[in-house]
Amino acid sequence: MRQLITFRIGAQSLAVDIMATREIRAWSPTTPLPHAAGFVRGVLDLRGIVLPVIDLSARLGWGDCDPTPRHVVMVMQIGDRPYGLIVDAVSDIATIDSADVQAPPELGRDGDHDLVKGIVTIQGEMVMILDLDRLAGDCPLPEETPLAA
């Protein structure tokens, strides 16, 4: 058994391992970074730490998101640094049996297919489980640095 936190981007349901989730914050504007990947919205100040923020819709190839006050930033621990993921809404915490997770189909996938670790049905809805390490893997950023006082 394992626990996932589920969330939405448009009509799509996605999930990540709850143990990687640090907090959920209201959307606030980011500071853009020069030469960052197109899906990196910018950075936020998270209590003195530079938090890179990923536009998850853009990262998954679904188009750029236009954040509003209704959007949220999920703060995730990915590897040894925190990242923020812009999502439309957080849905629920789900407990699943790992045996129920199926591999994503091979059809029509491109280079970003590895971002989906598996698919599971939760309350009759197909939910994609994201691979957080691969999600941030193409996101070269400077080492975690406290903001100057």
Side-chain angles (χ1 to χ4, degrees):
M1 301 301 275
R2 66 191 259 207
Q3 287 193 310
L4 303 173
I5 187 161
T6 61
F7 54 93
R8 300 193 78 74
I9 296 178
Q12 203 59 54
S13 289
L14 301 110
V16 293
D17 188 316
I18 196 167
M19 296 306 292
T21 306
R22 295 296 167 245
E23 67 182 271
I24 298 166
R25 302 171 48 98
W27 165 253
S28 59
T30 58
T31 300
L33 289 175
H35 306 292
F39 56 84
V40 177
R41 178 61 67 146
V43 293
L44 289 174
D45 176 3
L46 180 67
R47 294 178 295 283
I49 300 295
V50 175
L51 177 73
V53 178
I54 296 172
D55 178 341
L56 192 52
S57 179
R59 180 68 174 110
L60 295 171
W62 298 338
D64 291 348
C65 137
D66 187 17
T68 68
R70 299 178 108 189
H71 285 82
V72 296
V73 175
M74 295 176 61
V75 179
M76 311 298 298
Q77 186 68 33
I78 304 174
D80 60 353
R81 83 170 298 141
Y83 285 83
L85 304 178
I86 304 171
V87 302
D88 291 352
V90 174
S91 304
D92 205 356
I93 295 172
T95 302
I96 63 162
D97 186 331
S98 295
D100 293 337
V101 177
Q102 298 179 38
E106 295 289 333
L107 303 173
R109 299 189 320 182
D110 60 17
D112 284 342
H113 69 278
D114 292 331
L115 300 178
V116 177
K117 189 186 294 191
I119 299 174
V120 65
T121 300
I122 300 174
Q123 298 178 349
E125 186 173 25
M126 303 272 306
V127 177
M128 291 184 282
I129 302 169
L130 297 179
D131 184 328
L132 291 174
D133 291 327
R134 291 186 184 215
L135 187 78
D138 295 334
C139 188
L141 294 167
E143 294 300 315
E144 182 175 338
T145 308
L147 294 175

